[in-house]
Amino acid sequence: MSAAALNEANGTEEAQHMGDSPTPINGQYAQDGGLQTKTPLHATALGSPDCDTAQDAEPGNGPVEPADASNAEELPVPKRNIDDLRSPPSYLADIRWRLFEIREPIELKIDEFERYWPYTDNVWVRQHRAGTDRSGRVTTDYYACRLQRPTYTPRKADTARPDGKPLRKKQTREGGTCQMRIKTVRTEGACPKYTITKVGDHEHTHDLDHMDRIKRNTVVMEIARAEVMKGFMPASVFTIMSEDEEKLAAAGGRYLNRNDVRNASQAWRRTHGDQLGVHPGYKYDHGNGIVRDDERSTALLPPPTNSTNISMLDPALAPTPVVPAPAPAPAPTTLDFPPSSRPFLTPYLPPPTPPSPLTLPHVTLSYATSLDSFLAIAPNTRTALSGPASKALTHYLRTRHDAILIGVGTALADDPTLNARLPSAGGYGGLGWDGQPRPVIIDPSARWVLTPQSAILQAVASGRAKAPWVIIAPGCSIAPARLELLKHYGGKYVGLPDLEKGYRLSWEAIFRALAVEGIRSVMVEGGGVVVNELLQSEYTRFVGSVVVTVAPTYLGTGGVVVCPTRNVDALGKPWPVVRFRDVRWEQVGEDVVMCGKVGLVEGGGPEGPEGQAEGGDAGGQAREPAAARFTT
């Protein structure tokens, strides 16, 4: 084979034999028109290890002598290899796009951030670190789009580089076209996390594909370097990485080329560039570069070796003894509510366009009841009513809401986890805490005492639930140790500014406080005090929809019943509390699910609803507070 043909395989125009007695790679010598030559495939490096192409060398610089391996600069060992490209992280393309757009805050566990963020570091450049708060738990960094920096125009005579390195052929660098900025907040605690949010109102002026075209991310370049460090020449590495174009594009390498592979491995090839070969099962084909060698079984081909007969040229990448992995933890139990079963719920879900922070969140009242309208067989007794199918429906509803709200009585009786156990939810197969609602507990007097053994905190520590927020009354005193414990798990106590007349918590104040915290939809699940109060006429205006599961069972008297206090007009005549509209009944397993929207009953009293004043009866008479109220 001619030297020019050999260098075509490695992207060079000039070759130099590295020794008088070449050693064949995998028993192969380069083939040229069927004639075997004594030019081995590994003898394809330029005189200058820094230059893998003749175009990289500047006129007049001359060849650069290879550096002494013993004095070579120690390079970091790549953390990724070709397996990361062949078996990429789940939903990689979608997650890269989410980390590019940042349409809404994204919460990631530490290992998820470290896994996915390097795939987008061609987009985001850290501007500065705002620092750490007084507790030392929260660290904030600010990032800007790479195209925010000024446009760079190379000078005619660039600054000389050290150690005899050739001048870089710099090109004009695009910049000054995008002003989008974000911040990342790392929070330490029982389950450390990163929260990524957008800063300001600027949007990207380009798409992700444009960034992949002008810059390669760290992962793609690290995989290329790792493969070269195994003893393979850049052209062969490029061929291997380009075999599955879909996976390469998902990783951000759609526009990867041979020069990128050479640049990624340039420093390492300064001392090892004379020992590179093609991958086992591949060969150089004149005019086509590196192609598969179908005549040879890849199973019989050992990896390329050098004169010291080690499996990798870089000892840092040498294989380590295999240590048996510990037995994997049992997979968390998930519930399945298939997409084919979901359409009937769509009209009753939170609107696709979320309300602004200035408006109250969408509220869905959802609970399970017996045929005799009981929530539990006895007070403070956990009672399972939903069948498997309707239980899965409930968990699907949880994934569609920002928060799930219960009263302190339910928290004390059930020790709930208040999470969503669908395969798409965070901790059960989803990213971060995707689909996990924020637990909210109405506890005016802070009676609910949390410990690390509480089911909800154990779920938080395992990354399968969000930490709870506890709504307390104004002036409620809480021990510092309890405050610190909840804060350690990422939760908090939320104090309301004032009370309603009669020393009751205000539902409007509760929902408004949640809206200020970014909650746009709330699923209210109980218990009896909460459900009965929100079904009162004076509070139904806060409820957008109801989803009630009716189980085929009677519990009998003495339990916790759903029965709001009835309305009475000015003449003492009763009329219905509330009537739902747009009602739909659906059988789900053995249960029946009723969905409806909340609206005033037509002709509910002698004067109809027209005479009803807000917070009062028809006819404008003020109503006495219901017996079941949240009081301090």
Side-chain angles (χ1 to χ4, degrees), residues 344-345 348 546-548 582-585 593-597:
F344 80 94
L345 290 169
Y348 311 98
V546 293
V547 180
V548 180
D582 299 335
V583 173
R584 174 163 181 170
W585 295 84
V593 175
M594 186 209 71
C595 303
K597 297 181 180 179

Side-chain angles (χ1 to χ4, degrees), residues 392-461:
L393 179 150
T394 299
H395 281 253
Y396 168 70
L397 287 177
R398 290 179 178 183
T399 67
R400 299 299 301 269
H401 291 78
D402 291 344
I404 176 173
L405 184 148
I406 63 171
V408 62
T410 302
L412 291 171
D414 293 354
D415 188 25
T417 55
L418 299 178
N419 64 351
R421 299 204 298 271
L422 262 59
S424 60
Y428 294 86
L431 180 69
W433 287 266
D434 281 357
Q436 291 294 356
R438 172 71 63 182
V440 177
I441 290 81
I442 308 298
D443 187 9
S445 302
R447 293 190 292 137
W448 187 40
V449 179
L450 286 164
T451 70
Q453 287 71 43
S454 299
I456 192 168
L457 294 190
Q458 290 186 348
V460 171

Side-chain angles (χ1 to χ4, degrees), residues 103-104 350-362 402 518-521:
R103 292 293 184 189
E104 56 186 13
T353 303
S356 70
L358 300 178
T359 59
L360 298 182
H362 174 91
D402 291 344
I519 300 297
R520 299 166 299 181
S521 57

Side-chain angles (χ1 to χ4, degrees), residues 454-479:
S454 299
I456 192 168
L457 294 190
Q458 290 186 348
V460 171
S462 63
R464 296 173 184 169
K466 289 185 176 179
W469 293 349
V470 182
I471 306 293
I472 57 176
C476 179
S477 178
I478 302 174

